Amino acid sequence: MSIYLDNHATTRIDPAVIDVMVRMMETNYANPGSTTHEAGRLVSGLVADATQSIASHFHADPDEIIVTSGATESNNLALFGVAMHPKQTRRRIVSAVTEHRAILDPLVQLEKHGFEVIRLPVFPNQHPFAGGIDLSLAAESINEDTAIVSIMLANNEIGTIQPLAELAKLCQRWGVPLHTDATQAAGRMPMDVQAMGVDLLSFSSHKFYGPKGIGGLFVRQSPAAVRIQAQIVGGGQQFNLRSGTLNSVGIVGMAKALEVVESNLLAEMPQQAYLRNLLWELLNERIDGLILNGPVWNAMAPRESTRLVNNLNVCFPKVEGQSLMLEVPDLAVSSGSACTSVEPHPSHVLRGIGLSEDQARASLRFGIGRFNTEAEIRKTAEWIGKAHAKLAAFAA
Ligand SMILES: Cc1ncc(COP(=O)(O)O)c(C=O)c1O
């Protein structure tokens, strides 16, 4: 038996998504840009319908969605697109220390282009809102020279959900576009760009049971259009903002994935919260001295918690996360974000909430997904409990 609990890194593609993609590949393979013939017009129509459906999931209009290769590209398009627009005169960018590298690395590049980057600290692990930004510090950092604010909706390691609606009000005061990296949140909580008040939002299909290599960026068009500069130029597709033949199979697959999310989300959220809470309880029954990394949750009202329902991040006493993973080879979990887990550095997110290097190295991230069962959660707790007891005995 192998158990997959690494649903923050990626998710298993839903069978319903595979079905529509295979059908699309077999029959509707024409280029959606080839509107001179019937086959192309048919695919163009299917892509338009899929884009409409993707947009409505986010409460956006279809002309506000730019399809990309995933969240890394969407984040790059948002940050470079706003900062490097020819009419851009502002020089400050506000973000946070716990962002994903798909934000942090572009920010380093923008600093080299002369931008001043403010990386907000976050509340420490002892705080009930661990990993959350302090809105009063954000308010002090946002001013008339701020070109863009970029704060992720939910953290990929500790699940913290940021107060975007409040942040949006601060941004609006200075006419600053607010970007959010919603990669971990999309598919796991309701998405409404109007209620959040964000101007740009990145998402990636493989995090919500869709195919890899496709995602999107919401770019607000009303009441005022956000000005972004294209980063990929060529055939002029997608309003000239992202050229290249549309990935019609991916777009239809991503739309189907969001459709499945729409019909399942209200049942999935409490179910995943239940499994996450159960895992935490069972681990505590077997191991003394565990530390919860990230915000506490409200077991009675998962939808009101400031933590993703499917996220658990735990610091184990006396034992390294990597060693635990080696002891339990049939369990897929992670000791950091997928993009950085090949690096020896301890997680910048765990360091950002004040954990020591040793504590960060002694931590594991569990990500529950649609296909996990209670039996798997019980087995995971058993495996980890035994592995920890064995390793801790060596360490003593
Ligand atoms: C918060 C966050 N942003 C961006 C990314 C990058 O997404 P993609 O793999 O679609 O480029 C990830 C993926 O792990 C993520 O978790």
Side-chain angles (χ1 to χ4, degrees), residues 8-10 69-75 99-103 152 154-157 181-184 202-207 213-215 337-339 365:
H8 294 298
T10 196
S69 62
T72 301
E73 186 190 329
S74 300
N75 288 347
E99 294 290 316
H100 191 273
R101 279 193 56 190
I103 294 289
M152 71 201 323
N155 187 271
N156 49 304
E157 294 191 37
D181 176 354
T183 310
Q184 291 293 334
S202 304
F203 53 96
S204 191
S205 143
H206 71 101
K207 308 286 185 180
I214 186 135
S337 91
C339 318
R365 172 186 76 171

PDB file of all heavy atoms in Angstrom, residues 8-10 69-75 99-103 152 154-157 181-184 202-207 213-215 337-339 365, ligand 1:
ATOM      1  N   HIS A   8       0.004  19.272  -1.886  1.00  0.00           N
ATOM      2  CA  HIS A   8       0.409  20.666  -2.146  1.00  0.00           C
ATOM      3  C   HIS A   8       1.391  20.712  -3.301  1.00  0.00           C
ATOM      4  O   HIS A   8       1.480  21.715  -4.008  1.00  0.00           O
ATOM      5  CB  HIS A   8       1.064  21.292  -0.914  1.00  0.00           C
ATOM      6  CG  HIS A   8       0.124  21.447   0.237  1.00  0.00           C
ATOM      7  ND1 HIS A   8      -0.996  22.237   0.184  1.00  0.00           N
ATOM      8  CD2 HIS A   8       0.140  20.910   1.481  1.00  0.00           C
ATOM      9  CE1 HIS A   8      -1.631  22.168   1.342  1.00  0.00           C
ATOM     10  NE2 HIS A   8      -0.968  21.376   2.141  1.00  0.00           N
ATOM     11  N   ALA A   9       2.153  19.644  -3.483  1.00  0.00           N
ATOM     12  CA  ALA A   9       3.134  19.606  -4.584  1.00  0.00           C
ATOM     13  C   ALA A   9       2.403  19.442  -5.910  1.00  0.00           C
ATOM     14  O   ALA A   9       2.651  20.169  -6.862  1.00  0.00           O
ATOM     15  CB  ALA A   9       4.125  18.468  -4.372  1.00  0.00           C
ATOM     16  N   THR A  10       1.504  18.494  -5.931  1.00  0.00           N
ATOM     17  CA  THR A  10       0.618  18.339  -7.088  1.00  0.00           C
ATOM     18  C   THR A  10      -0.478  17.357  -6.724  1.00  0.00           C
ATOM     19  O   THR A  10      -0.404  16.692  -5.679  1.00  0.00           O
ATOM     20  CB  THR A  10       1.391  17.852  -8.335  1.00  0.00           C
ATOM     21  OG1 THR A  10       0.577  18.080  -9.507  1.00  0.00           O
ATOM     22  CG2 THR A  10       1.751  16.371  -8.277  1.00  0.00           C
ATOM     23  N   SER A  69       1.313  28.795 -18.734  1.00  0.00           N
ATOM     24  CA  SER A  69       1.787  27.417 -18.539  1.00  0.00           C
ATOM     25  C   SER A  69       1.701  26.996 -17.077  1.00  0.00           C
ATOM     26  O   SER A  69       2.096  25.887 -16.735  1.00  0.00           O
ATOM     27  CB  SER A  69       3.233  27.304 -19.009  1.00  0.00           C
ATOM     28  OG  SER A  69       4.034  28.162 -18.221  1.00  0.00           O
ATOM     29  N   GLY A  70       1.234  27.868 -16.201  1.00  0.00           N
ATOM     30  CA  GLY A  70       1.136  27.513 -14.780  1.00  0.00           C
ATOM     31  C   GLY A  70       1.411  28.741 -13.924  1.00  0.00           C
ATOM     32  O   GLY A  70       1.613  29.852 -14.433  1.00  0.00           O
ATOM     33  N   ALA A  71       1.446  28.526 -12.623  1.00  0.00           N
ATOM     34  CA  ALA A  71       1.522  29.664 -11.712  1.00  0.00           C
ATOM     35  C   ALA A  71       2.868  30.384 -11.762  1.00  0.00           C
ATOM     36  O   ALA A  71       2.933  31.592 -11.533  1.00  0.00           O
ATOM     37  CB  ALA A  71       1.222  29.208 -10.291  1.00  0.00           C
ATOM     38  N   THR A  72       3.938  29.663 -12.071  1.00  0.00           N
ATOM     39  CA  THR A  72       5.236  30.343 -12.140  1.00  0.00           C
ATOM     40  C   THR A  72       5.181  31.408 -13.238  1.00  0.00           C
ATOM     41  O   THR A  72       5.567  32.567 -13.016  1.00  0.00           O
ATOM     42  CB  THR A  72       6.369  29.329 -12.435  1.00  0.00           C
ATOM     43  OG1 THR A  72       6.367  28.348 -11.388  1.00  0.00           O
ATOM     44  CG2 THR A  72       7.724  30.004 -12.499  1.00  0.00           C
ATOM     45  N   GLU A  73       4.663  31.013 -14.389  1.00  0.00           N
ATOM     46  CA  GLU A  73       4.564  31.991 -15.484  1.00  0.00           C
ATOM     47  C   GLU A  73       3.571  33.100 -15.133  1.00  0.00           C
ATOM     48  O   GLU A  73       3.818  34.283 -15.410  1.00  0.00           O
ATOM     49  CB  GLU A  73       4.147  31.289 -16.785  1.00  0.00           C
ATOM     50  CG  GLU A  73       4.175  32.259 -17.960  1.00  0.00           C
ATOM     51  CD  GLU A  73       3.556  31.693 -19.230  1.00  0.00           C
ATOM     52  OE1 GLU A  73       3.606  30.471 -19.470  1.00  0.00           O
ATOM     53  OE2 GLU A  73       3.013  32.518 -20.001  1.00  0.00           O
ATOM     54  N   SER A  74       2.455  32.739 -14.511  1.00  0.00           N
ATOM     55  CA  SER A  74       1.455  33.759 -14.150  1.00  0.00           C
ATOM     56  C   SER A  74       2.050  34.789 -13.190  1.00  0.00           C
ATOM     57  O   SER A  74       1.836  35.997 -13.335  1.00  0.00           O
ATOM     58  CB  SER A  74       0.240  33.108 -13.490  1.00  0.00           C
ATOM     59  OG  SER A  74      -0.366  32.183 -14.362  1.00  0.00           O
ATOM     60  N   ASN A  75       2.809  34.295 -12.205  1.00  0.00           N
ATOM     61  CA  ASN A  75       3.430  35.223 -11.249  1.00  0.00           C
ATOM     62  C   ASN A  75       4.433  36.135 -11.947  1.00  0.00           C
ATOM     63  O   ASN A  75       4.505  37.344 -11.667  1.00  0.00           O
ATOM     64  CB  ASN A  75       4.143  34.442 -10.136  1.00  0.00           C
ATOM     65  CG  ASN A  75       3.163  33.783  -9.166  1.00  0.00           C
ATOM     66  OD1 ASN A  75       1.971  34.101  -9.172  1.00  0.00           O
ATOM     67  ND2 ASN A  75       3.646  32.874  -8.344  1.00  0.00           N
ATOM     68  N   GLU A  99       6.552  34.113   0.729  1.00  0.00           N
ATOM     69  CA  GLU A  99       6.036  33.812  -0.617  1.00  0.00           C
ATOM     70  C   GLU A  99       6.792  32.630  -1.225  1.00  0.00           C
ATOM     71  O   GLU A  99       7.912  32.309  -0.817  1.00  0.00           O
ATOM     72  CB  GLU A  99       6.199  35.047  -1.513  1.00  0.00           C
ATOM     73  CG  GLU A  99       5.358  36.236  -1.110  1.00  0.00           C
ATOM     74  CD  GLU A  99       3.867  36.037  -1.338  1.00  0.00           C
ATOM     75  OE1 GLU A  99       3.487  35.536  -2.403  1.00  0.00           O
ATOM     76  OE2 GLU A  99       3.079  36.395  -0.440  1.00  0.00           O
ATOM     77  N   HIS A 100       6.197  32.054  -2.263  1.00  0.00           N
ATOM     78  CA  HIS A 100       6.844  30.976  -3.034  1.00  0.00           C
ATOM     79  C   HIS A 100       7.992  31.567  -3.851  1.00  0.00           C
ATOM     80  O   HIS A 100       7.998  32.755  -4.165  1.00  0.00           O
ATOM     81  CB  HIS A 100       5.785  30.371  -3.959  1.00  0.00           C
ATOM     82  CG  HIS A 100       6.201  29.109  -4.629  1.00  0.00           C
ATOM     83  ND1 HIS A 100       6.884  29.091  -5.825  1.00  0.00           N
ATOM     84  CD2 HIS A 100       6.032  27.810  -4.272  1.00  0.00           C
ATOM     85  CE1 HIS A 100       7.103  27.838  -6.185  1.00  0.00           C
ATOM     86  NE2 HIS A 100       6.601  27.039  -5.255  1.00  0.00           N
ATOM     87  N   ARG A 101       8.926  30.698  -4.221  1.00  0.00           N
ATOM     88  CA  ARG A 101      10.058  31.192  -5.024  1.00  0.00           C
ATOM     89  C   ARG A 101       9.640  31.749  -6.380  1.00  0.00           C
ATOM     90  O   ARG A 101      10.375  32.551  -6.971  1.00  0.00           O
ATOM     91  CB  ARG A 101      11.094  30.084  -5.207  1.00  0.00           C
ATOM     92  CG  ARG A 101      11.970  29.984  -3.968  1.00  0.00           C
ATOM     93  CD  ARG A 101      13.170  29.142  -4.216  1.00  0.00           C
ATOM     94  NE  ARG A 101      13.955  29.612  -5.353  1.00  0.00           N
ATOM     95  CZ  ARG A 101      14.957  28.922  -5.884  1.00  0.00           C
ATOM     96  NH1 ARG A 101      15.265  27.746  -5.392  1.00  0.00           N
ATOM     97  NH2 ARG A 101      15.652  29.397  -6.889  1.00  0.00           N
ATOM     98  N   ALA A 102       8.467  31.348  -6.847  1.00  0.00           N
ATOM     99  CA  ALA A 102       7.980  31.897  -8.115  1.00  0.00           C
ATOM    100  C   ALA A 102       7.594  33.373  -7.976  1.00  0.00           C
ATOM    101  O   ALA A 102       7.283  34.043  -8.957  1.00  0.00           O
ATOM    102  CB  ALA A 102       6.790  31.089  -8.622  1.00  0.00           C
ATOM    103  N   ILE A 103       7.570  33.879  -6.756  1.00  0.00           N
ATOM    104  CA  ILE A 103       7.439  35.320  -6.495  1.00  0.00           C
ATOM    105  C   ILE A 103       8.798  35.876  -6.071  1.00  0.00           C
ATOM    106  O   ILE A 103       9.256  36.911  -6.577  1.00  0.00           O
ATOM    107  CB  ILE A 103       6.403  35.599  -5.363  1.00  0.00           C
ATOM    108  CG1 ILE A 103       4.990  35.207  -5.798  1.00  0.00           C
ATOM    109  CG2 ILE A 103       6.463  37.052  -4.894  1.00  0.00           C
ATOM    110  CD1 ILE A 103       4.356  36.092  -6.855  1.00  0.00           C
ATOM    111  N   MET A 152       0.466  36.172  -1.295  1.00  0.00           N
ATOM    112  CA  MET A 152      -0.196  34.921  -1.661  1.00  0.00           C
ATOM    113  C   MET A 152      -1.498  34.749  -0.893  1.00  0.00           C
ATOM    114  O   MET A 152      -1.627  35.220   0.254  1.00  0.00           O
ATOM    115  CB  MET A 152       0.734  33.724  -1.422  1.00  0.00           C
ATOM    116  CG  MET A 152       0.980  33.402   0.013  1.00  0.00           C
ATOM    117  SD  MET A 152       2.502  32.427   0.343  1.00  0.00           S
ATOM    118  CE  MET A 152       2.643  31.320  -0.999  1.00  0.00           C
ATOM    119  N   ALA A 154      -2.915  31.649  -0.042  1.00  0.00           N
ATOM    120  CA  ALA A 154      -2.691  30.609   0.977  1.00  0.00           C
ATOM    121  C   ALA A 154      -1.282  30.065   0.822  1.00  0.00           C
ATOM    122  O   ALA A 154      -0.821  29.841  -0.300  1.00  0.00           O
ATOM    123  CB  ALA A 154      -3.708  29.488   0.817  1.00  0.00           C
ATOM    124  N   ASN A 155      -0.625  29.858   1.945  1.00  0.00           N
ATOM    125  CA  ASN A 155       0.766  29.407   1.889  1.00  0.00           C
ATOM    126  C   ASN A 155       0.876  27.923   1.555  1.00  0.00           C
ATOM    127  O   ASN A 155       0.092  27.109   2.042  1.00  0.00           O
ATOM    128  CB  ASN A 155       1.474  29.725   3.217  1.00  0.00           C
ATOM    129  CG  ASN A 155       2.948  29.416   3.130  1.00  0.00           C
ATOM    130  OD1 ASN A 155       3.380  28.303   3.405  1.00  0.00           O
ATOM    131  ND2 ASN A 155       3.723  30.392   2.700  1.00  0.00           N
ATOM    132  N   ASN A 156       1.883  27.590   0.749  1.00  0.00           N
ATOM    133  CA  ASN A 156       2.050  26.216   0.271  1.00  0.00           C
ATOM    134  C   ASN A 156       2.691  25.296   1.297  1.00  0.00           C
ATOM    135  O   ASN A 156       2.720  24.085   1.103  1.00  0.00           O
ATOM    136  CB  ASN A 156       2.875  26.206  -1.010  1.00  0.00           C
ATOM    137  CG  ASN A 156       4.142  27.019  -0.895  1.00  0.00           C
ATOM    138  OD1 ASN A 156       4.095  28.209  -0.577  1.00  0.00           O
ATOM    139  ND2 ASN A 156       5.275  26.398  -1.126  1.00  0.00           N
ATOM    140  N   GLU A 157       3.218  25.823   2.400  1.00  0.00           N
ATOM    141  CA  GLU A 157       3.841  24.939   3.398  1.00  0.00           C
ATOM    142  C   GLU A 157       3.005  24.869   4.682  1.00  0.00           C
ATOM    143  O   GLU A 157       2.834  23.791   5.238  1.00  0.00           O
ATOM    144  CB  GLU A 157       5.254  25.416   3.715  1.00  0.00           C
ATOM    145  CG  GLU A 157       6.163  25.269   2.498  1.00  0.00           C
ATOM    146  CD  GLU A 157       7.625  25.465   2.829  1.00  0.00           C
ATOM    147  OE1 GLU A 157       8.067  25.042   3.906  1.00  0.00           O
ATOM    148  OE2 GLU A 157       8.317  26.057   1.992  1.00  0.00           O
ATOM    149  N   ASP A 181      -0.986  35.239  -5.387  1.00  0.00           N
ATOM    150  CA  ASP A 181      -0.639  33.912  -5.878  1.00  0.00           C
ATOM    151  C   ASP A 181      -1.609  32.955  -5.180  1.00  0.00           C
ATOM    152  O   ASP A 181      -1.443  32.619  -4.008  1.00  0.00           O
ATOM    153  CB  ASP A 181       0.827  33.621  -5.505  1.00  0.00           C
ATOM    154  CG  ASP A 181       1.255  32.215  -5.895  1.00  0.00           C
ATOM    155  OD1 ASP A 181       0.406  31.428  -6.351  1.00  0.00           O
ATOM    156  OD2 ASP A 181       2.443  31.905  -5.719  1.00  0.00           O
ATOM    157  N   ALA A 182      -2.638  32.552  -5.926  1.00  0.00           N
ATOM    158  CA  ALA A 182      -3.700  31.711  -5.330  1.00  0.00           C
ATOM    159  C   ALA A 182      -3.493  30.238  -5.677  1.00  0.00           C
ATOM    160  O   ALA A 182      -4.449  29.441  -5.631  1.00  0.00           O
ATOM    161  CB  ALA A 182      -5.068  32.185  -5.805  1.00  0.00           C
ATOM    162  N   THR A 183      -2.260  29.873  -6.004  1.00  0.00           N
ATOM    163  CA  THR A 183      -1.975  28.513  -6.485  1.00  0.00           C
ATOM    164  C   THR A 183      -2.464  27.434  -5.528  1.00  0.00           C
ATOM    165  O   THR A 183      -2.996  26.412  -5.942  1.00  0.00           O
ATOM    166  CB  THR A 183      -0.461  28.354  -6.704  1.00  0.00           C
ATOM    167  OG1 THR A 183      -0.013  29.448  -7.486  1.00  0.00           O
ATOM    168  CG2 THR A 183      -0.114  27.052  -7.387  1.00  0.00           C
ATOM    169  N   GLN A 184      -2.249  27.639  -4.237  1.00  0.00           N
ATOM    170  CA  GLN A 184      -2.646  26.601  -3.268  1.00  0.00           C
ATOM    171  C   GLN A 184      -4.108  26.717  -2.861  1.00  0.00           C
ATOM    172  O   GLN A 184      -4.691  25.755  -2.364  1.00  0.00           O
ATOM    173  CB  GLN A 184      -1.770  26.697  -2.002  1.00  0.00           C
ATOM    174  CG  GLN A 184      -0.336  26.303  -2.242  1.00  0.00           C
ATOM    175  CD  GLN A 184      -0.166  24.821  -2.577  1.00  0.00           C
ATOM    176  OE1 GLN A 184      -0.980  23.975  -2.193  1.00  0.00           O
ATOM    177  NE2 GLN A 184       0.897  24.497  -3.292  1.00  0.00           N
ATOM    178  N   SER A 202      -3.091  34.500  -9.678  1.00  0.00           N
ATOM    179  CA  SER A 202      -2.441  33.387 -10.383  1.00  0.00           C
ATOM    180  C   SER A 202      -3.011  32.053  -9.917  1.00  0.00           C
ATOM    181  O   SER A 202      -3.250  31.873  -8.716  1.00  0.00           O
ATOM    182  CB  SER A 202      -0.942  33.356 -10.071  1.00  0.00           C
ATOM    183  OG  SER A 202      -0.328  34.572 -10.382  1.00  0.00           O
ATOM    184  N   PHE A 203      -3.163  31.122 -10.875  1.00  0.00           N
ATOM    185  CA  PHE A 203      -3.609  29.770 -10.505  1.00  0.00           C
ATOM    186  C   PHE A 203      -2.974  28.741 -11.429  1.00  0.00           C
ATOM    187  O   PHE A 203      -2.468  29.073 -12.496  1.00  0.00           O
ATOM    188  CB  PHE A 203      -5.145  29.661 -10.521  1.00  0.00           C
ATOM    189  CG  PHE A 203      -5.799  30.102 -11.813  1.00  0.00           C
ATOM    190  CD1 PHE A 203      -6.138  29.185 -12.803  1.00  0.00           C
ATOM    191  CD2 PHE A 203      -6.090  31.441 -12.028  1.00  0.00           C
ATOM    192  CE1 PHE A 203      -6.756  29.585 -13.984  1.00  0.00           C
ATOM    193  CE2 PHE A 203      -6.698  31.860 -13.210  1.00  0.00           C
ATOM    194  CZ  PHE A 203      -7.026  30.934 -14.186  1.00  0.00           C
ATOM    195  N   SER A 204      -3.000  27.482 -10.985  1.00  0.00           N
ATOM    196  CA  SER A 204      -2.300  26.421 -11.702  1.00  0.00           C
ATOM    197  C   SER A 204      -3.121  25.145 -11.635  1.00  0.00           C
ATOM    198  O   SER A 204      -3.446  24.662 -10.543  1.00  0.00           O
ATOM    199  CB  SER A 204      -0.942  26.210 -11.032  1.00  0.00           C
ATOM    200  OG  SER A 204      -0.138  25.395 -11.815  1.00  0.00           O
ATOM    201  N   SER A 205      -3.415  24.593 -12.804  1.00  0.00           N
ATOM    202  CA  SER A 205      -4.386  23.498 -12.879  1.00  0.00           C
ATOM    203  C   SER A 205      -3.972  22.216 -12.148  1.00  0.00           C
ATOM    204  O   SER A 205      -4.811  21.498 -11.609  1.00  0.00           O
ATOM    205  CB  SER A 205      -4.650  23.243 -14.367  1.00  0.00           C
ATOM    206  OG  SER A 205      -4.812  21.923 -14.685  1.00  0.00           O
ATOM    207  N   HIS A 206      -2.642  21.940 -12.099  1.00  0.00           N
ATOM    208  CA  HIS A 206      -2.248  20.651 -11.509  1.00  0.00           C
ATOM    209  C   HIS A 206      -2.418  20.617  -9.992  1.00  0.00           C
ATOM    210  O   HIS A 206      -2.277  19.570  -9.369  1.00  0.00           O
ATOM    211  CB  HIS A 206      -0.811  20.270 -11.900  1.00  0.00           C
ATOM    212  CG  HIS A 206       0.284  21.084 -11.277  1.00  0.00           C
ATOM    213  ND1 HIS A 206       1.024  20.635 -10.211  1.00  0.00           N
ATOM    214  CD2 HIS A 206       0.769  22.301 -11.582  1.00  0.00           C
ATOM    215  CE1 HIS A 206       1.938  21.547  -9.892  1.00  0.00           C
ATOM    216  NE2 HIS A 206       1.803  22.567 -10.704  1.00  0.00           N
ATOM    217  N   LYS A 207      -2.752  21.773  -9.389  1.00  0.00           N
ATOM    218  CA  LYS A 207      -3.019  21.781  -7.949  1.00  0.00           C
ATOM    219  C   LYS A 207      -4.486  21.459  -7.663  1.00  0.00           C
ATOM    220  O   LYS A 207      -4.856  21.231  -6.527  1.00  0.00           O
ATOM    221  CB  LYS A 207      -2.679  23.140  -7.334  1.00  0.00           C
ATOM    222  CG  LYS A 207      -1.277  23.652  -7.648  1.00  0.00           C
ATOM    223  CD  LYS A 207      -0.190  22.927  -6.877  1.00  0.00           C
ATOM    224  CE  LYS A 207       1.163  23.590  -7.162  1.00  0.00           C
ATOM    225  NZ  LYS A 207       2.269  22.979  -6.464  1.00  0.00           N
ATOM    226  N   GLY A 213       1.267  21.948 -16.506  1.00  0.00           N
ATOM    227  CA  GLY A 213       1.695  22.779 -17.642  1.00  0.00           C
ATOM    228  C   GLY A 213       0.622  23.724 -18.138  1.00  0.00           C
ATOM    229  O   GLY A 213       0.715  24.228 -19.257  1.00  0.00           O
ATOM    230  N   ILE A 214      -0.403  23.957 -17.330  1.00  0.00           N
ATOM    231  CA  ILE A 214      -1.424  24.941 -17.701  1.00  0.00           C
ATOM    232  C   ILE A 214      -1.965  25.620 -16.455  1.00  0.00           C
ATOM    233  O   ILE A 214      -2.116  25.003 -15.404  1.00  0.00           O
ATOM    234  CB  ILE A 214      -2.552  24.312 -18.560  1.00  0.00           C
ATOM    235  CG1 ILE A 214      -3.513  25.410 -19.055  1.00  0.00           C
ATOM    236  CG2 ILE A 214      -3.314  23.240 -17.809  1.00  0.00           C
ATOM    237  CD1 ILE A 214      -3.877  25.301 -20.478  1.00  0.00           C
ATOM    238  N   GLY A 215      -2.200  26.917 -16.585  1.00  0.00           N
ATOM    239  CA  GLY A 215      -2.732  27.700 -15.474  1.00  0.00           C
ATOM    240  C   GLY A 215      -3.229  29.009 -16.039  1.00  0.00           C
ATOM    241  O   GLY A 215      -3.504  29.094 -17.240  1.00  0.00           O
ATOM    242  N   SER A 337       8.645  22.919   0.127  1.00  0.00           N
ATOM    243  CA  SER A 337       7.873  23.014  -1.099  1.00  0.00           C
ATOM    244  C   SER A 337       8.564  22.156  -2.149  1.00  0.00           C
ATOM    245  O   SER A 337       9.774  21.958  -2.104  1.00  0.00           O
ATOM    246  CB  SER A 337       7.748  24.464  -1.556  1.00  0.00           C
ATOM    247  OG  SER A 337       8.781  24.793  -2.413  1.00  0.00           O
ATOM    248  N   ALA A 338       7.806  21.638  -3.123  1.00  0.00           N
ATOM    249  CA  ALA A 338       8.363  20.704  -4.114  1.00  0.00           C
ATOM    250  C   ALA A 338       9.539  21.324  -4.845  1.00  0.00           C
ATOM    251  O   ALA A 338      10.498  20.653  -5.188  1.00  0.00           O
ATOM    252  CB  ALA A 338       7.292  20.319  -5.113  1.00  0.00           C
ATOM    253  N   CYS A 339       9.453  22.635  -5.055  1.00  0.00           N
ATOM    254  CA  CYS A 339      10.492  23.287  -5.854  1.00  0.00           C
ATOM    255  C   CYS A 339      11.771  23.472  -5.057  1.00  0.00           C
ATOM    256  O   CYS A 339      12.825  23.702  -5.616  1.00  0.00           O
ATOM    257  CB  CYS A 339      10.003  24.642  -6.331  1.00  0.00           C
ATOM    258  SG  CYS A 339       8.322  24.578  -6.879  1.00  0.00           S
ATOM    259  N   ARG A 365       5.553  18.256   5.894  1.00  0.00           N
ATOM    260  CA  ARG A 365       4.295  18.825   5.419  1.00  0.00           C
ATOM    261  C   ARG A 365       3.410  17.708   4.869  1.00  0.00           C
ATOM    262  O   ARG A 365       3.851  16.903   4.061  1.00  0.00           O
ATOM    263  CB  ARG A 365       4.596  19.827   4.313  1.00  0.00           C
ATOM    264  CG  ARG A 365       3.365  20.354   3.600  1.00  0.00           C
ATOM    265  CD  ARG A 365       3.740  21.230   2.432  1.00  0.00           C
ATOM    266  NE  ARG A 365       4.207  20.472   1.279  1.00  0.00           N
ATOM    267  CZ  ARG A 365       4.438  21.002   0.082  1.00  0.00           C
ATOM    268  NH1 ARG A 365       4.262  22.294  -0.099  1.00  0.00           N
ATOM    269  NH2 ARG A 365       4.853  20.251  -0.917  1.00  0.00           N
TER     270      ARG A 365
HETATM  271  C1  LIG B   1       2.240  28.999  -3.862  1.00  0.00           C
HETATM  272  C2  LIG B   1       2.791  28.492  -5.151  1.00  0.00           C
HETATM  273  N1  LIG B   1       3.082  29.354  -6.133  1.00  0.00           N
HETATM  274  C3  LIG B   1       3.560  28.949  -7.313  1.00  0.00           C
HETATM  275  C4  LIG B   1       3.807  27.618  -7.569  1.00  0.00           C
HETATM  276  C5  LIG B   1       4.342  27.193  -8.902  1.00  0.00           C
HETATM  277  O1  LIG B   1       3.326  26.590  -9.648  1.00  0.00           O
HETATM  278  P1  LIG B   1       3.586  25.884 -11.052  1.00  0.00           P
HETATM  279  O2  LIG B   1       4.214  24.583 -10.742  1.00  0.00           O
HETATM  280  O3  LIG B   1       2.238  25.734 -11.648  1.00  0.00           O
HETATM  281  O4  LIG B   1       4.434  26.785 -11.868  1.00  0.00           O
HETATM  282  C6  LIG B   1       3.527  26.670  -6.572  1.00  0.00           C
HETATM  283  C7  LIG B   1       3.822  25.228  -6.792  1.00  0.00           C
HETATM  284  O5  LIG B   1       4.282  24.530  -5.909  1.00  0.00           O
HETATM  285  C8  LIG B   1       3.001  27.124  -5.342  1.00  0.00           C
HETATM  286  O6  LIG B   1       2.707  26.263  -4.356  1.00  0.00           O
END
